Amino acid sequence: MLQAPAGKRLAPMLGVLVPLLRRDGELDLTDDEAALLVRMSAATIDRRLAPERAKLLSRGRSHTKPGHC
């Protein structure tokens, strides 16, 4: 299972995190962009993060032997 924060848990924290990250210079956003980010829904967060989460999934070869019929 992937250990990434779900939008459901991340969305309520954006109101706290965005101002702190802007203050510390970690996010370079305009006031309008920051306001949009803080209002982003959990479902939108999950949709926006889906491509990055997909990159973290391991897609190796299976080491099981094929069955016979």
Side-chain angles (χ1 to χ4, degrees):
M1 182 172 182
L2 185 61
Q3 296 296 321
K8 191 175 191 178
R9 292 183 183 223
L10 187 57
M13 297 302 299
L14 287 178
V16 175
L17 292 174
V18 171
L20 292 175
L21 292 171
R22 288 180 75 199
R23 181 196 69 196
D24 294 342
E26 298 292 327
L27 280 178
D28 184 27
L29 302 173
T30 65
D31 290 340
D32 290 337
E33 291 169 335
L36 286 171
L37 185 57
V38 168
R39 290 194 322 258
M40 189 180 289
S41 72
T44 301
I45 292 170
D46 287 334
R47 282 192 301 272
R48 300 290 299 201
L49 291 177
E52 294 303 316
R53 287 183 178 152
K55 292 177 188 176
L56 298 174
L57 294 175
S58 61
R59 285 185 269 237
R61 298 182 94 183
S62 173
H63 295 287
T64 58
K65 294 181 181 179
H68 65 283
C69 295

